[in-house]
């Protein structure tokens, strides 16, 4: 009994000092993820405790100058199924309004279907592996602020209620062409280059989109 008790104590101390993941989700949606998909990873001790209050973003990553997305920023990196993901942003619950440590990444190209592990690594070392379900698609609309999806008018001004971003956002009009941003809809027909910061291509099948109960005409869907 004493020996088992000592072992449990050591494990508890180790978990308290190293990072662990508590949740993973496709941005704006549920726990399933897809390849080439923006995901949000949340947990404890995943990023440095001295992270700036505004968080750390990839805008100054030197890789971007050569057309590549960074696989680590500020010493924080992530793997999905053992493959490096592309780190866009992270924030710390210690220094910012984040409710928990959070890391946002783009998942790598990987046609695996089923359970895979996600690991976040920082100066404190790697987190415990966190299992997620990797699917061929895991569609989700990105959100300005729930429940308003990220969308723009033809002139790229923000689409939303006037109260959402006063002086900047305006509602759509009937028969207006708008662009709505989403993730997890699968790969385009054109081959992608893993990690390239510039990608394009149309989806093989246009999704069905409804506005209320009315079916909208989809003119383009892709990267």
């Amino acid at each position: 009994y004493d020996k088992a008790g000592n072992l449990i104590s050591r494990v508890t101390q180790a978990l308290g000092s190293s990072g662990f993941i508590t949740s993973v989700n496709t941005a704006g949606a549920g726990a399933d993820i897809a390849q080439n998909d923006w995901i949000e990873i949340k947990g404890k001790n995943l990023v440095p405790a001295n992270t700036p209050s505004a968080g750390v973003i990839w805008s100054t990553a030197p890789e971007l100058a050569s057309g590549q997305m960074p696989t680590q920023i500020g010493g924080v990196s992530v793997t999905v199924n053992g493959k490096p993901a592309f780190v866009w942003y992270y924030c710390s619950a210690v220094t910012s309004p984040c409710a928990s440590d959070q890391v946002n990444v783009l998942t790598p190209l990987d046609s695996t279907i089923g359970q895979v592990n996600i690991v976040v690594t920082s100066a404190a070392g790697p987190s415990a592996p966190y299992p997620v379900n990797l699917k061929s698609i895991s569609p989700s609309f990105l959100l300005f602020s729930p429940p308003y999806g990220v969308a723009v008018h033809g002139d790229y001004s923000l689409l939303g209620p006037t109260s959402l971003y006063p002086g900047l956002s305006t509602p759509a009009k009937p028969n207006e062409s708008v662009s709505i941003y989403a993730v997890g809809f699968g790969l385009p027909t054109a081959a992608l280059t893993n990690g390239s910061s510039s990608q394009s291509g149309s989806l093989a099948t246009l999704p069905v989109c409804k506005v209320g109960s009315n079916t909208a005409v989809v003119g383009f869907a892709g990267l």
Side-chain angles (χ1 to χ4, degrees):
Y1 176 82
D2 288 342
K3 184 176 180 180
N6 291 335
L7 177 61
I8 292 172
S9 175
R10 286 196 294 272
V11 170
T12 301
Q13 291 172 4
L15 287 175
S17 60
S18 60
F20 61 92
I21 298 169
T22 56
S23 69
V24 174
N25 63 277
T26 288
D32 293 336
I33 70 170
Q35 62 175 320
N36 203 50
D37 181 20
W38 289 104
I39 65 172
E40 301 169 339
I41 304 166
K42 298 179 181 180
K44 185 176 181 180
N45 297 333
L46 297 179
V47 304
N50 62 351
T51 297
S53 60
V56 174
I57 198 166
W58 73 4
S59 56
T60 59
E63 294 90 339
L64 293 173
S66 57
Q68 292 291 308
M69 294 179 287
T71 55
Q72 71 86 27
I73 53 174
V76 175
S77 61
V78 175
T79 59
V80 179
N81 197 28
K83 298 176 174 61
F86 305 101
V87 183
W88 173 62
Y89 167 84
Y90 65 79
C91 61
S92 168
V94 176
T95 58
S96 78
C98 292
S100 59
D101 286 4
Q102 180 170 329
V103 186
N104 294 357
V105 305
L106 183 73
T107 59
L109 298 181
D110 184 350
S111 59
T112 301
I113 300 297
Q115 182 174 298
V116 299
N117 286 328
I118 291 182
V119 175
V120 177
T121 300
S122 67
S127 69
Y130 186 90
V132 297
N133 187 32
L134 183 62
K135 302 173 66 176
S136 58
I137 63 170
S138 182
S140 170
F141 288 116
L142 296 174
L143 302 177
F144 279 137
S145 177
Y148 301 112
V150 176
V152 296
H153 299 278
D155 62 0
Y156 295 102
S157 61
L158 303 184
L159 190 158
T162 54
S163 59
L164 181 61
Y165 297 112
L168 297 174
S169 56
T170 55
K173 298 177 181 178
N175 296 317
E176 179 186 358
S177 293
V178 300
S179 297
I180 304 171
Y181 294 91
V183 297
F185 276 71
L187 302 185
T189 54
L192 300 182
T193 300
N194 192 49
S196 173
S197 61
S198 179
Q199 308 271 21
S200 63
S202 301
L203 297 182
T205 303
L206 292 178
V208 175
C209 182
K210 289 190 174 183
V211 179
S213 59
N214 299 310
T215 301
V217 176
V218 179
F220 169 81
L223 299 183

